[in-house]
C-alpha cells in the first residue's frame, strides 16, 4: 500500500480551472482533486488540459507548469 501511495503522488500534476473569460477560478493539486471538488469527470479535465477537448461543463483547464 505504501508503494502505491508514493506512485500515485509522483504522477499528480497541478491543474488550474479557468472560466470562459480566461480568468483563473481555482488551482488544484491533481485532476482527481479537481474532479471531486467540481463534479467533473477526471478524464474530461485531463483531456481539456492536454488540448483534446475545448472545455468541460463550461470551464477550461490547464496543467500548471
Amino acid at each position: 500500500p505504501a508503494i502505491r501511495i508514493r506512485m500515485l503522488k509522483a504522477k499528480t500534476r497541478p491543474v488550474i480551472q479557468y472560466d470562459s473569460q480566461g480568468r483563473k477560478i481555482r488551482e488544484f493539486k491533481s485532476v482527481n482533486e479537481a474532479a471531486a471538488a467540481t463534479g467533473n469527470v477526471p478524464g474530461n479535465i485531463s483531456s481539456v488540459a492536454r488540448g483534446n477537448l475545448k472545455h468541460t461543463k463550461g470551464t477550461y483547464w490547464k496543467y500548471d507548469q
Side-chain angles (χ1 to χ4, degrees), residues 1-15:
I3 294 172
R4 179 169 165 73
I5 291 170
R6 279 187 289 163
M7 288 174 58
L8 289 173
K9 286 183 179 181
K11 293 182 180 182
T12 60
R13 291 176 66 186
V15 66

Side-chain angles (χ1 to χ4, degrees), residues 3-33:
I3 294 172
R4 179 169 165 73
I5 291 170
R6 279 187 289 163
M7 288 174 58
L8 289 173
K9 286 183 179 181
K11 293 182 180 182
T12 60
R13 291 176 66 186
V15 66
I16 303 171
Q17 180 185 23
Y18 296 92
D19 66 9
S20 61
Q21 304 298 318
R23 294 180 296 242
K24 187 187 327 186
I25 298 173
R26 276 180 77 181
E27 293 184 37
F28 298 95
K29 292 180 183 179
S30 69
V31 169
N32 287 330
E33 181 184 313

